[in-house]
Amino acid sequence: MAKKINQALAREFGLSADEYQRVLDIMGRTPSLTELGVFSVMWSEHCSYKSSRVWLKTLPTKAPWVIHGPGENAGVVDIGDGMAAVFKMESHNHPSFIEPYQGAATGVGGILRDVFTMGARPVANLNALRFGDPSLPRTKRVVDGVVRGIGGYGNCVGVPTVGGEINFHPSYNGNPLVNAMTVGVLDKTRIFLSAAAGIGNPVVYVGSKTGRDGIHGATMASAEFAADSGEKRPTVQVGDPFVEKLLIEACLELMATDAIVAIQDMGAAGLTSSSVEMAGKGGVGIQLDLDAVPQRETDMTAYEMMLSESQERMLMVLRPDRQDLARAIFDKWDLDFAVIGHITDTGRIVVTHKGITEADIPLDPLAEQAPLYHRPTVETPKPASLGPVADPVGIVPALLKLIGCPDLCSRAWVTNQYDSTVGGQTVKRPGAADAAVVKLDGFNRALAITTDCTPRYVAADPEMGGMQAVAETWRNLTAVGARPLAITDNMNFGNPEKPEIMGQFAAAIRGMSKACIALDYPVVSGNVSLYNETEGKGILPTPAIGGLGVLDDAHDAIGIGLKPGMGLVLIGTIRGHLGQSLWLREIAGQEAGAPPPVDLAAERSIGDFVRGRILAGAVQACHDISDGGLLVAIAEMAMAGNTSVSLEAAPGEIAPHAWWFGEDQGCYIVSVLDPSAFIVEATVADLPTRLIGHTQASGTGGAGLKFKDGATISMQDLRAEHDRFFPEWMN
């Protein structure tokens, strides 16, 4: 029975009463089911950014090296040698909770298409993952499915997964976060954009056939979960990485010709968003005949075809005289190729099916009258600084517990499921350095790539937490010797209709902006994921940041692994900040206090100095201090290089546990052959340094860390605690 088009149905589709009235005003009549579907997905939070646009516009997006900032499928930056890097991060949170394997897999597939649709060959994947309480069976199921989905898709498509991060917190129990990032490279004179042009030019569908999977996926991603979230399984797409690989090769082959006028992947909202965005950006109209759409299911309606989010599909506008050439290329790669419409001068999207006009919508009002909300905001109260906290266990037991906890333990169980070296250009693999490093094929130049965010900082102080997330990625890139260029972001927050949530969002954007400006590190792409709540319980605010930098010579890149015979020098100031630290949570059982402050001027001066010394060949290994503090960073460096460290005593003016586990920002540990010379150079630059230890060879089971008071932790014990969690949990 046909559905009655009314306000109640519009509400089911995610449109408010006011928004539905706006649809009626634009159309001048009751819309058809297909037209209502088009409005609902294009005006969804996922596609329109109706709650976040006012804040996103305040982010700095320009720099001399930025070629394309936000607004295209991905950001593009100049990396030298006539090349450009194309990159973006995007969420697939809701689908990954409902169907972890396919949700994560299709998240990888979607972000790959955002990059190669611009003409770039993907060279690296990363991910930023957040999961709930590990003691819950549901968390284990989600982690297992998500990791297998990321590996299954990325490995099969032949793009290395080179980095990422994983955190656990009960706030993600009903709403995990799966943020996928892809980086590609291209000739900067051969960038493909999505704005349609050329009246009469053919509109061509390529890739896989259309099915009923993923219908209203964008709408589902723009609403809170309730207790019946499992029933949303049909809204999750199903991916095929082998078809994606064929699609990459076919598109790049066609892009080597002059056939393409415009190209867009069919991501969220599928055929609807791709056709509307292409025509809208080009200021033209578009006519679609759905009879020509390749379909894998029978009796599909216009509504289903327009809203399907079936994977591995692209929409192109071609030159008419190159249509046969394009068809031959896609036939060779055994992919569907169908002319499903043409460009018009009407300024409307007109959709026909079986001789009936199913949709006829003016494009300008669809875009220009899309909802834009200035939602109320309530600032998060600034937490009081944390007072002194007694050490309940001692330094050695605390370190062993910290390096074995879910947030700091070895990720080998995860990363071993990812092919991080396919393509043969990976210079720094997961865990070997603060950022992944991937060499450009045929060049000495390399890209450094990282993802980072500390949600507990953002929850306590959203502005400082947003600032820290940007600064941390800048620091990660610097620590391998790379020159940071730009970021992509993935803004994961709760229900924007709650003023306290929008207050978090606005403050995080303020902090990010300040850091981007101070560090010359603009935002060039990104994604917003709101309504990350289940039954009214929201996630920790999580503005995940993906950072990209460049090294002129891949051989200059360094990692965190120590070698014997070196001095360890701390550069930066440790004051013993324990507020919101992992030590405080894991050892003292508290989540309290203010997060560590970020001094952007010091961040810049220290980072630039460290990078300069790395590129001068004066630094053998480098690691920034972050989660867990100084001692955790040293332990990670020792394990990475299988090298022992004799440690100097903590300074008398700071409690030992605060010195070793405080999470003060803007600090690096460097391993240098001549620590005295390094300290003199830093002192001349007016930068704080301190000798903190020396390295020695470590035999099997030998001493890993030796403290001034005589205490030791063997390498065997360090590794046993560090490696334990995932294998035992996933037994």
Side-chain angles (χ1 to χ4, degrees), residues 669-729:
I669 304 166
V670 294
S671 169
V672 294
L673 184 61
D674 187 347
S676 297
F678 185 92
I679 290 172
V680 167
E681 290 169 341
T683 302
V684 169
D686 198 26
L687 300 176
T689 58
R690 184 184 183 95
L691 181 67
I692 57 173
H694 292 85
T695 66
Q696 300 93 31
S698 176
T700 303
L705 301 180
K706 294 183 281 188
F707 293 86
K708 202 73 170 178
D709 64 3
T712 63
I713 308 177
S714 71
M715 188 65 71
Q716 183 176 357
D717 288 345
L718 280 174
R719 291 194 188 282
E721 290 303 317
H722 191 53
D723 295 345
R724 186 189 314 277
F725 173 73
F726 272 105
E728 288 187 357
W729 189 45

Side-chain angles (χ1 to χ4, degrees), residues 88-91 107-108 111 126-128 178-182 490:
K88 186 181 180 183
M89 185 189 290
E90 198 161 73
S91 62
V108 174
I111 197 64
L126 296 89
N127 51 76
V178 176
N179 297 167
M181 178 177 171
T182 292
N490 207 142

Side-chain angles (χ1 to χ4, degrees), residues 89 126-130 164-166 177-181 451-452 544:
M89 185 189 290
L126 296 89
N127 51 76
L129 311 177
R130 267 86 192 180
E165 54 175 336
I166 300 177
L177 302 184
V178 176
N179 297 167
M181 178 177 171
T451 66
D452 223 300

Side-chain angles (χ1 to χ4, degrees), residues 67-143:
I67 298 173
H68 289 288
E72 284 300 331
N73 285 291
V76 186
V77 294
D78 191 328
I79 57 174
D81 289 332
M83 303 294 288
V86 180
F87 68 110
K88 186 181 180 183
M89 185 189 290
E90 198 161 73
S91 62
H92 233 221
N93 302 336
H94 284 40
S96 297
F97 180 63
I98 298 167
E99 179 52 65
Y101 184 94
Q102 289 296 347
T106 53
V108 174
I111 197 64
L112 282 165
R113 289 193 298 279
D114 278 339
V115 167
F116 76 76
T117 194
M118 299 193 72
R121 178 170 291 280
V123 297
N125 288 331
L126 296 89
N127 51 76
L129 311 177
R130 267 86 192 180
F131 300 109
D133 183 348
S135 69
L136 299 178
R138 179 171 60 188
T139 301
K140 185 187 295 190
R141 176 186 68 85
V142 173
V143 170

Side-chain angles (χ1 to χ4, degrees), residues 60-340:
T61 61
K62 298 183 184 301
W65 52 89
V66 174
I67 298 173
H68 289 288
E72 284 300 331
N73 285 291
V76 186
V77 294
D78 191 328
I79 57 174
D81 289 332
M83 303 294 288
V86 180
F87 68 110
K88 186 181 180 183
M89 185 189 290
E90 198 161 73
S91 62
H92 233 221
N93 302 336
H94 284 40
S96 297
F97 180 63
I98 298 167
E99 179 52 65
Y101 184 94
Q102 289 296 347
T106 53
V108 174
I111 197 64
L112 282 165
R113 289 193 298 279
D114 278 339
V115 167
F116 76 76
T117 194
M118 299 193 72
R121 178 170 291 280
V123 297
N125 288 331
L126 296 89
N127 51 76
L129 311 177
R130 267 86 192 180
F131 300 109
D133 183 348
S135 69
L136 299 178
R138 179 171 60 188
T139 301
K140 185 187 295 190
R141 176 186 68 85
V142 173
V143 170
D144 177 59
V146 165
V147 171
R148 285 189 297 108
I150 291 170
Y153 205 100
N155 297 351
C156 293
V157 85
V159 177
T161 300
V162 297
E165 54 175 336
I166 300 177
N167 295 143
F168 294 85
H169 191 275
S171 73
Y172 305 108
N173 282 349
N175 209 123
L177 302 184
V178 176
N179 297 167
M181 178 177 171
T182 292
V183 180
V185 294
L186 47 60
D187 180 330
K188 69 179 184 181
T189 66
R190 299 287 295 169
I191 300 170
F192 288 81
L193 305 179
S194 57
I199 307 306
N201 278 347
V203 175
V204 175
Y205 170 122
V206 299
S208 291
K209 290 179 169 58
T210 294
R212 290 188 171 94
D213 55 320
I215 293 174
H216 265 300
T219 306
M220 179 267 291
S222 304
E224 288 186 30
F225 276 160
D228 63 349
S229 59
E231 297 174 11
K232 299 180 184 289
R233 194 174 301 270
T235 63
V236 179
Q237 311 92 325
V238 178
D240 185 336
F242 298 105
V243 172
E244 182 100 339
K245 174 61 174 173
L246 299 177
L247 189 59
I248 292 172
E249 300 304 330
C251 287
L252 293 180
E253 182 175 341
L254 184 60
M255 287 166 169
T257 74
D258 61 352
I260 297 175
V261 176
I263 182 170
Q264 175 78 37
D265 76 295
M266 294 192 217
L271 187 53
T272 290
S273 63
S274 56
S275 57
V276 167
E277 289 172 7
M278 291 176 79
K281 287 180 180 178
V284 296
I286 190 167
Q287 174 101 29
L288 300 178
D289 178 7
L290 300 188
D291 296 350
V293 170
Q295 301 161 52
R296 68 167 183 259
E297 300 185 45
T298 59
D299 300 321
M300 290 193 71
T301 65
Y303 166 83
E304 291 172 330
M305 282 185 274
M306 289 299 290
L307 270 67
S308 167
E309 293 185 9
S310 294
Q311 296 292 285
E312 294 89 40
R313 303 178 301 158
M314 309 286 279
L315 197 65
M316 301 179 177
V317 177
L318 298 181
R319 287 178 47 179
D321 59 337
R322 295 294 186 266
Q323 190 172 306
D324 290 342
L325 168 66
R327 184 186 298 276
I329 289 173
F330 282 88
D331 284 348
K332 183 184 82 171
W333 289 101
D334 198 25
L335 295 167
D336 277 295
F337 178 101
V339 178
I340 65 167

